Amino acid sequence: MSKTSAQIYVLYTGGTIGMDGRPLAPMPASRLQRLLETMPGFDSSTLTLHPLDDRELRINYVLDAFDEPIDSSAMTPNDWVMIARRILDRYADYDGFVVLHGTDTMAWTTSALAFLLEGLAKPVIVTGSQVPLAQTRTDALRNLVTAMQLAATSGVPEVGLFFDVALYRGCRAAKVSTSAFEGFASPNYPPLATAGITIDVSESLVRLPPPIESSMQRPEHRARVAARLEAIEQALPRFSVLSLVLYPGIQTSNAIEVLLDATEPPVRGLVLQAFGEGNAPSTPSFLEALRRAHDRGVVIVDGTQVVQGSVNVDAYQSASGLEQAGAISGYDMTPEAAQAKLVYLLGLGLSQQEVEVLMQRNLRGELRAESGPTRGLVFAEH
Protein backbone atom coordinates (compact mmCIF):
# COMPACT_ATOMS: atom_id res chain seq x y z
CA MET A 1 0.00 0.00 0.00
CA SER A 2 1.42 3.38 -1.02
CA LYS A 3 1.25 6.31 1.35
CA THR A 4 0.87 10.02 0.72
CA SER A 5 0.66 12.89 3.19
CA ALA A 6 -0.25 16.56 3.29
CA GLN A 7 -0.30 19.40 5.79
CA ILE A 8 -3.46 21.47 6.21
CA TYR A 9 -4.63 24.26 8.47
CA VAL A 10 -8.19 24.13 9.85
CA LEU A 11 -9.73 27.33 11.22
CA TYR A 12 -12.85 26.97 13.35
CA THR A 13 -14.83 30.23 13.37
CA GLY A 14 -18.05 28.80 14.82
CA GLY A 15 -21.30 27.73 13.22
CA THR A 16 -23.64 24.76 13.49
CA ILE A 17 -20.86 22.25 12.82
CA GLY A 18 -19.37 23.03 16.24
CA MET A 19 -22.56 23.64 18.21
CA ASP A 20 -24.25 21.69 20.95
CA GLY A 21 -26.84 22.09 23.69
CA ARG A 22 -30.39 23.46 23.77
CA PRO A 23 -30.60 26.03 22.30
CA LEU A 24 -27.60 25.37 20.09
CA ALA A 25 -24.50 27.42 20.92
CA PRO A 26 -20.87 27.22 19.70
CA MET A 27 -18.63 24.92 21.69
CA PRO A 28 -15.05 26.03 22.49
CA ALA A 29 -12.27 24.83 20.20
CA SER A 30 -10.80 22.55 22.87
CA ARG A 31 -14.05 20.61 23.08
CA LEU A 32 -14.34 20.42 19.30
CA GLN A 33 -10.81 19.00 19.18
CA ARG A 34 -11.71 16.30 21.73
CA LEU A 35 -14.86 15.49 19.78
CA LEU A 36 -12.89 15.16 16.54
CA GLU A 37 -10.55 12.66 18.16
CA THR A 38 -13.50 10.29 18.72
CA MET A 39 -14.34 10.26 15.00
CA PRO A 40 -13.20 7.46 12.64
CA GLY A 41 -9.76 8.13 11.15
CA PHE A 42 -8.96 11.09 13.42
CA ASP A 43 -6.42 11.53 16.18
CA SER A 44 -5.17 14.75 17.74
CA SER A 45 -3.19 15.83 14.68
CA THR A 46 -3.89 13.41 11.83
CA LEU A 47 -6.75 12.28 9.63
CA THR A 48 -6.03 8.96 7.93
CA LEU A 49 -8.06 7.99 4.87
CA HIS A 50 -8.01 4.83 2.77
CA PRO A 51 -9.34 5.67 -0.70
CA LEU A 52 -10.28 2.81 -3.00
CA ASP A 53 -7.06 2.99 -5.03
CA ASP A 54 -5.06 1.04 -2.43
CA ARG A 55 -3.16 3.94 -0.92
CA GLU A 56 -3.19 5.57 2.48
CA LEU A 57 -3.76 9.30 2.62
CA ARG A 58 -2.38 10.85 5.77
CA ILE A 59 -3.57 14.42 6.38
CA ASN A 60 -1.67 16.18 9.12
CA TYR A 61 -3.79 19.01 10.43
CA VAL A 62 -3.67 21.84 12.95
CA LEU A 63 -6.98 23.05 14.41
CA ASP A 64 -7.00 26.77 15.14
CA ALA A 65 -9.98 28.88 16.20
CA PHE A 66 -11.35 32.34 16.81
CA ASP A 67 -10.83 33.39 20.43
CA GLU A 68 -14.61 33.19 20.77
CA PRO A 69 -16.35 31.04 18.11
CA ILE A 70 -19.45 32.84 16.84
CA ASP A 71 -22.72 32.17 15.11
CA SER A 72 -22.21 33.24 11.51
CA SER A 73 -25.14 35.64 11.72
CA ALA A 74 -22.77 37.82 13.78
CA MET A 75 -20.02 37.71 11.12
CA THR A 76 -18.75 41.11 9.90
CA PRO A 77 -16.35 42.33 7.20
CA ASN A 78 -13.73 42.70 9.94
CA ASP A 79 -14.04 38.95 10.50
CA TRP A 80 -13.52 38.34 6.78
CA VAL A 81 -10.23 40.21 7.04
CA MET A 82 -9.30 38.26 10.19
CA ILE A 83 -9.86 34.93 8.42
CA ALA A 84 -7.88 36.08 5.39
CA ARG A 85 -5.02 37.20 7.61
CA ARG A 86 -4.95 33.87 9.50
CA ILE A 87 -4.59 32.06 6.17
CA LEU A 88 -2.04 34.51 4.79
CA ASP A 89 0.16 34.30 7.89
CA ARG A 90 0.33 30.50 7.56
CA TYR A 91 0.28 30.29 3.80
CA ALA A 92 3.86 29.04 3.32
CA ASP A 93 3.51 26.26 5.90
CA TYR A 94 0.51 24.31 4.59
CA ASP A 95 -0.68 22.60 1.42
CA GLY A 96 -4.28 23.72 1.89
CA PHE A 97 -6.74 25.38 4.24
CA VAL A 98 -10.19 24.58 5.66
CA VAL A 99 -12.47 27.14 7.28
CA LEU A 100 -15.33 25.86 9.45
CA HIS A 101 -18.15 28.39 9.27
CA GLY A 102 -21.85 28.78 9.92
CA THR A 103 -24.14 28.41 6.93
CA ASP A 104 -26.17 31.60 7.30
CA THR A 105 -23.47 33.95 6.00
CA MET A 106 -21.07 31.42 4.50
CA ALA A 107 -21.67 32.66 0.93
CA TRP A 108 -20.67 36.21 1.94
CA THR A 109 -17.48 34.97 3.61
CA THR A 110 -16.44 32.74 0.72
CA SER A 111 -17.06 35.59 -1.71
CA ALA A 112 -15.04 38.00 0.41
CA LEU A 113 -12.13 35.58 0.84
CA ALA A 114 -11.98 35.07 -2.92
CA PHE A 115 -11.31 38.80 -3.34
CA LEU A 116 -9.15 39.33 -0.26
CA LEU A 117 -6.79 36.42 -1.02
CA GLU A 118 -5.51 37.83 -4.30
CA GLY A 119 -3.04 35.52 -6.03
CA LEU A 120 -4.21 32.39 -4.22
CA ALA A 121 -2.45 29.28 -5.52
CA LYS A 122 -3.59 26.71 -2.94
CA PRO A 123 -7.04 25.40 -1.98
CA VAL A 124 -9.06 27.25 0.64
CA ILE A 125 -12.18 25.18 1.36
CA VAL A 126 -14.99 26.60 3.49
CA THR A 127 -17.52 24.18 4.93
CA GLY A 128 -20.02 23.69 7.71
CA SER A 129 -23.11 21.61 8.31
CA GLN A 130 -26.84 21.65 8.79
CA VAL A 131 -26.61 19.35 11.84
CA PRO A 132 -23.91 19.60 14.54
CA LEU A 133 -20.97 17.19 14.57
CA ALA A 134 -21.95 16.26 18.12
CA GLN A 135 -25.23 14.71 16.96
CA THR A 136 -25.53 11.17 15.67
CA ARG A 137 -27.37 11.78 12.39
CA THR A 138 -25.25 14.56 10.97
CA ASP A 139 -23.82 15.79 7.69
CA ALA A 140 -20.93 17.43 9.54
CA LEU A 141 -18.41 14.58 9.46
CA ARG A 142 -18.78 13.95 5.73
CA ASN A 143 -18.51 17.66 4.93
CA LEU A 144 -15.46 18.10 7.14
CA VAL A 145 -13.58 15.03 5.93
CA THR A 146 -14.24 15.78 2.27
CA ALA A 147 -13.24 19.43 2.72
CA MET A 148 -9.99 18.32 4.35
CA GLN A 149 -9.32 15.87 1.52
CA LEU A 150 -10.00 18.56 -1.08
CA ALA A 151 -7.69 20.98 0.72
CA ALA A 152 -4.98 18.33 0.89
CA THR A 153 -5.16 16.84 -2.59
CA SER A 154 -7.23 18.82 -5.12
CA GLY A 155 -4.74 21.58 -5.87
CA VAL A 156 -7.66 23.89 -6.77
CA PRO A 157 -6.17 27.42 -6.52
CA GLU A 158 -9.43 29.01 -5.39
CA VAL A 159 -11.65 29.68 -2.43
CA GLY A 160 -14.27 26.95 -2.61
CA LEU A 161 -17.44 26.18 -0.67
CA PHE A 162 -17.95 22.46 -0.10
CA PHE A 163 -21.33 21.19 1.00
CA ASP A 164 -22.99 17.77 0.73
CA VAL A 165 -21.47 16.42 -2.50
CA ALA A 166 -20.32 19.53 -4.37
CA LEU A 167 -17.43 21.96 -4.33
CA TYR A 168 -18.63 25.34 -5.55
CA ARG A 169 -16.60 28.40 -6.46
CA GLY A 170 -16.89 30.48 -3.32
CA CYS A 171 -17.94 33.69 -5.08
CA ARG A 172 -20.65 31.82 -7.02
CA ALA A 173 -22.36 30.00 -4.16
CA ALA A 174 -25.64 30.79 -2.39
CA LYS A 175 -27.55 29.16 0.45
CA VAL A 176 -30.74 27.60 -0.92
CA SER A 177 -32.11 25.48 1.93
CA THR A 178 -32.32 25.68 5.71
CA SER A 179 -33.18 22.01 6.13
CA ALA A 180 -31.78 19.91 3.28
CA PHE A 181 -28.28 18.50 3.47
CA GLU A 182 -27.68 20.01 0.01
CA GLY A 183 -27.96 23.46 1.56
CA PHE A 184 -26.02 25.37 -1.12
CA ALA A 185 -26.05 25.73 -4.88
CA SER A 186 -24.23 27.65 -7.58
CA PRO A 187 -27.01 28.89 -9.86
CA ASN A 188 -24.84 30.43 -12.58
CA TYR A 189 -21.72 28.24 -12.60
CA PRO A 190 -21.25 24.46 -12.42
CA PRO A 191 -19.59 22.80 -9.42
CA LEU A 192 -15.79 22.67 -9.51
CA ALA A 193 -15.86 19.12 -8.13
CA THR A 194 -18.28 16.43 -7.05
CA ALA A 195 -17.73 13.93 -4.26
CA GLY A 196 -19.18 10.46 -4.54
CA ILE A 197 -17.21 7.30 -3.94
CA THR A 198 -14.38 9.23 -5.56
CA ILE A 199 -13.79 12.98 -5.81
CA ASP A 200 -13.92 14.21 -9.39
CA VAL A 201 -12.51 17.68 -10.12
CA SER A 202 -13.73 19.38 -13.30
CA GLU A 203 -10.36 20.79 -14.29
CA SER A 204 -11.77 22.81 -17.19
CA LEU A 205 -13.93 24.82 -14.78
CA VAL A 206 -11.17 25.64 -12.30
CA ARG A 207 -9.34 28.94 -12.61
CA LEU A 208 -5.71 28.79 -13.69
CA PRO A 209 -3.05 29.45 -11.06
CA PRO A 210 -1.99 33.10 -10.99
CA PRO A 211 1.14 34.27 -12.81
CA ILE A 212 4.19 33.89 -10.59
CA GLU A 213 4.66 37.65 -10.22
CA SER A 214 1.22 37.98 -8.62
CA SER A 215 1.10 34.63 -6.83
CA MET A 216 0.91 34.15 -3.09
CA GLN A 217 3.65 31.58 -3.56
CA ARG A 218 6.02 34.58 -3.59
CA PRO A 219 6.81 36.20 -0.23
CA GLU A 220 6.88 39.61 -1.92
CA HIS A 221 3.31 39.23 -3.10
CA ARG A 222 2.14 37.94 0.28
CA ALA A 223 3.59 41.11 1.77
CA ARG A 224 1.55 43.18 -0.69
CA VAL A 225 -1.62 41.26 0.19
CA ALA A 226 -0.90 41.76 3.90
CA ALA A 227 -0.57 45.51 3.34
CA ARG A 228 -3.90 45.57 1.50
CA LEU A 229 -5.62 43.65 4.29
CA GLU A 230 -4.30 46.21 6.75
CA ALA A 231 -5.55 49.07 4.57
CA ILE A 232 -8.98 47.48 4.17
CA GLU A 233 -9.29 46.85 7.91
CA GLN A 234 -8.50 50.50 8.62
CA ALA A 235 -10.96 51.68 5.94
CA LEU A 236 -13.94 49.56 7.01
CA PRO A 237 -15.16 51.91 9.78
CA ARG A 238 -15.33 54.78 7.28
CA PHE A 239 -17.94 53.49 4.82
CA SER A 240 -21.03 51.29 4.45
CA VAL A 241 -22.26 49.04 1.63
CA LEU A 242 -26.01 48.43 1.57
CA SER A 243 -28.31 46.00 -0.22
CA LEU A 244 -31.89 46.90 -1.13
CA VAL A 245 -34.45 44.32 -2.23
CA LEU A 246 -37.09 45.89 -4.48
CA TYR A 247 -40.72 44.78 -4.16
CA PRO A 248 -44.02 45.83 -5.69
CA GLY A 249 -45.28 49.04 -4.14
CA ILE A 250 -41.99 50.07 -2.54
CA GLN A 251 -41.78 53.81 -1.96
CA THR A 252 -38.50 53.79 -3.77
CA SER A 253 -37.37 57.40 -3.62
CA ASN A 254 -38.06 57.58 0.12
CA ALA A 255 -36.33 54.24 0.71
CA ILE A 256 -33.17 55.36 -1.08
CA GLU A 257 -33.01 58.71 0.71
CA VAL A 258 -33.70 57.23 4.15
CA LEU A 259 -31.07 54.53 3.67
CA LEU A 260 -28.44 57.01 2.55
CA ASP A 261 -29.19 59.69 5.11
CA ALA A 262 -29.68 57.47 8.14
CA THR A 263 -26.74 55.10 7.69
CA GLU A 264 -23.44 55.64 9.47
CA PRO A 265 -20.69 55.42 8.40
CA PRO A 266 -21.60 57.05 5.07
CA VAL A 267 -22.85 54.81 2.29
CA ARG A 268 -20.35 54.29 -0.55
CA GLY A 269 -21.95 51.27 -2.22
CA LEU A 270 -25.50 50.10 -2.92
CA VAL A 271 -26.55 46.74 -4.37
CA LEU A 272 -30.04 46.83 -5.84
CA GLN A 273 -31.71 43.42 -5.91
CA ALA A 274 -33.99 44.39 -8.76
CA PHE A 275 -36.67 42.47 -10.64
CA GLY A 276 -36.00 40.05 -13.51
CA GLU A 277 -33.14 41.15 -15.74
CA GLY A 278 -32.35 44.14 -13.55
CA ASN A 279 -35.64 46.00 -13.85
CA ALA A 280 -36.94 48.60 -11.40
CA PRO A 281 -39.72 51.19 -11.12
CA SER A 282 -39.16 53.89 -13.75
CA THR A 283 -40.75 56.66 -11.72
CA PRO A 284 -38.86 59.96 -12.06
CA SER A 285 -38.56 60.42 -8.28
CA PHE A 286 -36.87 57.02 -7.87
CA LEU A 287 -34.42 57.55 -10.71
CA GLU A 288 -33.67 61.06 -9.49
CA ALA A 289 -32.94 59.71 -5.99
CA LEU A 290 -30.48 57.24 -7.50
CA ARG A 291 -28.92 59.95 -9.64
CA ARG A 292 -28.39 62.15 -6.58
CA ALA A 293 -26.84 59.21 -4.73
CA HIS A 294 -24.50 58.52 -7.63
CA ASP A 295 -23.53 62.19 -7.76
CA ARG A 296 -22.64 61.92 -4.06
CA GLY A 297 -20.15 59.19 -4.91
CA VAL A 298 -22.23 56.07 -4.24
CA VAL A 299 -21.44 53.07 -6.47
CA ILE A 300 -24.81 51.57 -7.47
CA VAL A 301 -24.93 47.99 -8.72
CA ASP A 302 -28.00 46.85 -10.64
CA GLY A 303 -28.39 43.20 -9.64
CA THR A 304 -31.23 40.73 -9.76
CA GLN A 305 -33.12 39.00 -6.98
CA VAL A 306 -33.81 36.10 -9.36
CA VAL A 307 -31.74 33.07 -8.37
CA GLN A 308 -30.53 32.15 -11.85
CA GLY A 309 -29.73 34.37 -14.81
CA SER A 310 -28.10 37.70 -15.53
CA VAL A 311 -28.87 41.40 -15.61
CA ASN A 312 -29.50 42.81 -19.10
CA VAL A 313 -29.80 46.59 -18.98
CA ASP A 314 -30.69 46.73 -22.68
CA ALA A 315 -33.68 44.40 -22.51
CA TYR A 316 -36.26 46.69 -20.89
CA GLN A 317 -36.67 50.42 -20.52
CA SER A 318 -37.04 49.98 -16.76
CA ALA A 319 -33.48 48.65 -16.62
CA SER A 320 -32.01 51.25 -18.96
CA GLY A 321 -33.42 53.96 -16.67
CA LEU A 322 -31.22 52.64 -13.86
CA GLU A 323 -28.21 52.80 -16.15
CA GLN A 324 -28.98 56.41 -17.04
CA ALA A 325 -29.19 57.20 -13.32
CA GLY A 326 -25.63 55.93 -12.84
CA ALA A 327 -26.17 52.27 -11.92
CA ILE A 328 -23.81 49.67 -13.35
CA SER A 329 -24.68 46.11 -14.27
CA GLY A 330 -24.11 43.36 -11.75
CA TYR A 331 -24.31 40.80 -14.58
CA ASP A 332 -24.83 37.34 -13.04
CA MET A 333 -23.15 37.95 -9.68
CA THR A 334 -24.93 36.70 -6.61
CA PRO A 335 -26.02 39.46 -4.21
CA GLU A 336 -23.49 38.09 -1.72
CA ALA A 337 -20.63 38.33 -4.21
CA ALA A 338 -21.65 41.81 -5.33
CA GLN A 339 -21.72 43.14 -1.78
CA ALA A 340 -18.44 41.47 -0.78
CA LYS A 341 -16.74 42.73 -3.94
CA LEU A 342 -17.91 46.29 -3.26
CA VAL A 343 -16.55 46.11 0.29
CA TYR A 344 -13.22 44.84 -1.04
CA LEU A 345 -12.80 47.47 -3.76
CA LEU A 346 -13.98 50.38 -1.64
CA GLY A 347 -11.73 49.19 1.17
CA LEU A 348 -8.75 49.52 -1.16
CA GLY A 349 -9.40 53.25 -1.36
CA LEU A 350 -10.25 53.24 -5.06
CA SER A 351 -12.23 56.06 -6.62
CA GLN A 352 -15.88 55.72 -7.59
CA GLN A 353 -14.92 55.41 -11.26
CA GLU A 354 -12.25 52.77 -10.57
CA VAL A 355 -14.68 50.73 -8.47
CA GLU A 356 -17.35 50.93 -11.19
CA VAL A 357 -14.91 49.66 -13.82
CA LEU A 358 -13.66 46.78 -11.68
CA MET A 359 -17.13 45.80 -10.49
CA GLN A 360 -17.92 44.97 -14.12
CA ARG A 361 -14.75 42.92 -14.66
CA ASN A 362 -14.33 39.28 -13.84
CA LEU A 363 -11.67 39.29 -11.12
CA ARG A 364 -12.12 35.87 -9.45
CA GLY A 365 -14.63 34.06 -11.65
CA GLU A 366 -17.55 35.81 -9.96
CA LEU A 367 -19.26 36.94 -13.15
CA ARG A 368 -19.58 36.57 -16.87
CA ALA A 369 -19.34 39.91 -18.63
CA GLU A 370 -18.75 41.10 -22.16
CA SER A 371 -15.47 42.66 -21.07
CA GLY A 372 -14.08 39.19 -20.49
CA PRO A 373 -11.90 37.86 -17.66
CA THR A 374 -9.18 39.84 -15.93
CA ARG A 375 -6.55 37.45 -14.62
CA GLY A 376 -3.87 38.37 -12.14
CA LEU A 377 -5.09 41.95 -11.72
CA VAL A 378 -2.74 43.68 -9.28
CA PHE A 379 -3.50 46.97 -7.55
CA ALA A 380 0.14 47.97 -7.39
CA GLU A 381 -0.59 51.54 -6.39
CA HIS A 382 -2.88 50.81 -3.44
Side-chain angles (χ1 to χ4, degrees):
M1 177 183 291
S2 62
K3 296 183 179 181
T4 58
S5 64
Q7 312 285 332
I8 69 166
Y9 171 78
V10 181
L11 176 61
Y12 167 52
T13 69
T16 298
I17 193 168
M19 289 187 175
D20 200 9
R22 288 290 184 271
L24 290 172
M27 66 176 68
S30 58
R31 186 176 167 203
L32 179 63
Q33 178 70 66
R34 292 194 298 271
L35 179 60
L36 271 182
E37 292 170 21
T38 69
M39 300 293 164
F42 280 91
D43 63 27
S44 61
S45 62
T46 307
L47 168 63
T48 303
L49 299 174
H50 297 90
L52 297 181
D53 55 2
D54 196 36
R55 64 185 175 90
E56 180 181 272
L57 174 60
R58 197 174 182 84
I59 300 175
N60 302 308
Y61 72 93
V62 169
L63 178 66
D64 195 9
F66 277 11
D67 292 339
E68 294 290 336
I70 60 174
D71 188 294
S72 75
S73 60
M75 194 71 61
T76 70
N78 289 96
D79 295 314
W80 302 341
V81 174
M82 184 191 305
I83 296 169
R85 186 176 283 124
R86 294 278 186 106
I87 293 169
L88 181 65
D89 289 347
R90 295 156 179 81
Y91 188 83
D93 300 324
Y94 295 93
D95 300 304
F97 305 85
V98 172
V99 178
L100 305 182
H101 195 288
T103 61
D104 285 351
T105 63
M106 188 183 292
W108 277 272
T109 296
T110 55
S111 294
L113 291 177
F115 297 115
L116 294 170
L117 295 172
E118 180 192 345
L120 188 65
K122 296 178 181 179
V124 173
I125 312 298
V126 183
T127 195
S129 65
Q130 300 283 51
V131 180
L133 182 64
Q135 295 188 15
T136 303
R137 185 176 177 271
T138 178
D139 58 330
L141 182 61
R142 184 174 68 179
N143 287 352
L144 173 59
V145 170
T146 309
M148 291 175 69
Q149 186 172 350
L150 284 163
T153 65
S154 72
V156 172
E158 298 197 36
V159 175
L161 189 159
F162 180 78
F163 222 83
D164 192 40
V165 298
L167 175 66
Y168 305 112
R169 176 167 292 156
C171 52
R172 285 288 194 168
K175 187 174 181 179
V176 295
S177 176
T178 61
S179 57
F181 283 157
E182 57 272 27
F184 286 81
S186 178
N188 288 315
Y189 200 79
L192 302 180
T194 54
I197 294 176
T198 61
I199 296 177
D200 299 313
V201 178
S202 299
E203 300 288 352
S204 64
L205 299 174
V206 176
R207 286 173 60 80
L208 296 174
I212 187 60
E213 63 272 12
S214 58
S215 172
M216 284 176 61
Q217 300 294 93
R218 293 189 67 198
E220 299 88 346
H221 184 68
R222 293 201 297 275
R224 287 196 292 268
V225 174
R228 288 181 199 128
L229 291 178
E230 180 68 24
I232 291 169
E233 186 175 49
Q234 293 182 9
L236 285 174
R238 299 197 293 268
F239 70 91
S240 297
V241 174
L242 303 183
S243 183
L244 176 63
V245 179
L246 301 186
Y247 56 87
I250 184 173
Q251 299 299 312
T252 45
S253 59
N254 291 338
I256 296 293
E257 290 167 352
V258 168
L259 280 171
L260 295 182
D261 293 341
T263 301
E264 287 291 339
V267 177
R268 290 283 314 282
L270 175 63
V271 178
L272 291 176
Q273 295 185 44
F275 306 117
E277 293 181 289
N279 304 317
S282 55
T283 54
S285 59
F286 174 55
L287 297 178
E288 180 58 30
L290 287 178
R291 189 175 295 108
R292 286 196 300 269
H294 186 262
D295 290 345
R296 288 167 54 178
V298 178
V299 178
I300 304 169
V301 179
D302 180 14
T304 176
Q305 58 191 255
V306 180
V307 173
Q308 189 173 52
S310 181
V311 168
N312 181 359
V313 295
D314 298 321
Y316 296 91
Q317 184 178 5
S318 52
S320 62
L322 291 177
E323 185 178 31
Q324 293 166 13
I328 58 173
S329 176
Y331 295 97
D332 60 346
M333 276 189 291
T334 64
E336 297 92 336
Q339 188 162 19
K341 187 176 181 180
L342 267 178
V343 170
Y344 166 66
L345 294 174
L346 290 168
L348 289 172
L350 304 177
S351 69
Q352 181 187 26
Q353 183 177 12
E354 289 173 314
V355 172
E356 289 174 344
V357 169
L358 292 172
M359 281 298 296
Q360 296 176 90
R361 289 189 188 172
N362 178 17
L363 303 184
R364 306 289 192 270
E366 74 279 7
L367 61 80
R368 284 194 181 96
E370 294 177 1
S371 58
T374 302
R375 292 187 56 239
L377 188 63
V378 176
F379 301 100
E381 300 177 359
H382 297 275

